Each structure stands twice: as structure tokens, then as C-alpha cells.
Amino acid sequence: MTDACHKTLMQPVIRVRTGQNPAQPHQGILSIGDWSVPCATGHGGLIAAHLKREGDGATPSGCFPLRYGFFDPTTFAADDFAGLAFPFLPKPANYVWPEDGLSPFYNRMVFDTDPQTPSRLGDRIFDLIVPIGWNDATVQPLGGSAIFLHIAGPGFPATRGCVTIANDHAPVLAGLLRPGMMIDIARD
């Protein structure tokens, strides 16, 4: 566990470790206690948090908060999330996380009111999304945005900076999350 996580945690932490396979550096293991599953990270590898930049495809290393999540109501029933400890909300049909570093809404979820924008419901990799508290408390323009814990695409590809797990593992993950939980991302 990184020093930052070790000093601040009083409860379980999500541990993400990469580097086990030099030929596939984006592949790793995500674990919570005794539960471990394969995961994928950014195609740009892991990068020190202070070096993270918009569009680099890297996943920031360090310890970050997980505050809330969303589930797709066209895939999951609200009852599936009703008794969970972690706060999940139904994912809205139209939302964006602006990646324009000059936007006043950079790295903030906003609702897209353009009637021409297609619905984001049914986007399988985002059936379950948990924003990782990266560059959001005090936003640094172009410091990297929209880093999520979400479902992997077919074949477990590298991401643009997010952490992904298999679709089959999403319900278990949702049940293991706790309010105030942190995610600790590092190389082995």
C-alpha cells in the first residue's frame, strides 16, 4: 500500500497493481481484501500523479477517493443497488465529463441538453462507473480528467487512463465498496 493510503485509511482499500506482465503493462490485479480479479489500466502506463496530463492515456498512480457511483438502469434494477453501503445513483441518459481544460466544467459531470446527442444508456462499458477522485477537489486545467473504475471492453484492452474490470465482476465489486473507500494504484 502506498504511504498516502496507509496513513489515511481506517477501512478496506481497493488495491490496483500492474507490472506483472512486461509485454502487457496495462494488465493488473484489482483486490479488495481477499477478493482479487484481473483489471486493465491506461495504454500510457502508470504515471506519477503530478505528471498526469489530459490525453496522455496514462493512469495516475497514488491513493484517490471513491465518493459515489452510477449504474445503468437499462441493465441493472434499482433494487440491485438499494441495500448497498456505497452510494450509487441511476446513470442519466445524457451526460458528459468535459475534457476541454479551458472549460469551467472541466472534469465535472454535466448534463448534455443538446437534443441531438444520443443517449449514453446502453453503453456497456459504462453499465457501472465509479469516478476516481482524481483532479477534482481543486481542478488543474489539463491535469487529466474523467478517470473511472468501470467495465472492461471486449478482450480487456488498455484504457485511456481508467481502471477496468470484467462485467461479471461488477456486481461483486459494487457490494464490496464502502463509503469513504480509497483506491490505491501502483506498480508491483
Side-chain angles (χ1 to χ4, degrees):
M1 192 173 319
T2 62
D3 289 341
C5 275
H6 182 70
K7 291 177 184 175
T8 60
L9 296 179
M10 303 281 182
Q11 61 188 39
V13 63
I14 295 177
R15 194 170 180 265
V16 173
R17 294 295 180 266
T18 64
Q20 300 89 354
N21 181 353
Q24 298 290 326
H26 69 281
Q27 293 178 347
I29 301 293
L30 178 147
S31 59
I32 301 172
D34 294 335
W35 184 73
S36 293
V37 296
C39 70
T41 60
H43 63 80
L46 297 188
I47 192 166
H50 71 281
L51 298 175
K52 174 75 179 137
R53 296 296 176 259
E54 186 66 44
D56 63 9
T59 302
S61 60
C63 188
F64 309 104
L66 302 175
R67 300 181 187 101
Y68 57 91
F70 296 97
F71 65 91
D72 190 322
T74 65
T75 302
F76 296 107
D79 289 348
D80 295 338
F81 292 85
L84 299 181
F86 194 75
F88 278 97
L89 297 168
K91 180 176 75 169
N94 294 324
Y95 64 92
V96 292
W97 239 276
E99 296 177 2
D100 174 359
L102 302 178
S103 167
F105 303 108
Y106 179 67
N107 202 25
R108 301 275 188 254
M109 180 185 189
V110 295
F111 297 99
D112 189 344
T113 58
D114 182 348
Q116 303 301 316
T117 302
S119 171
R120 306 246 355 227
L121 297 176
D123 189 356
R124 298 286 69 107
I125 67 169
F126 296 125
D127 280 352
L128 181 83
I129 57 174
V130 178
I132 294 175
W134 164 251
N135 193 26
D136 62 349
T138 303
V139 176
Q140 298 300 313
L142 301 175
S145 65
I147 306 289
F148 303 116
L149 175 55
H150 66 83
I151 294 170
F156 246 96
T159 70
R160 291 176 38 199
C162 295
V163 176
T164 61
I165 61 167
N167 185 49
D168 293 349
H169 298 135
V172 176
L173 173 74
L176 291 172
L177 295 178
R178 298 290 178 261
M181 198 170 225
M182 305 286 277
I183 187 167
D184 179 28
I185 304 170
R187 285 184 187 84
D188 252 347

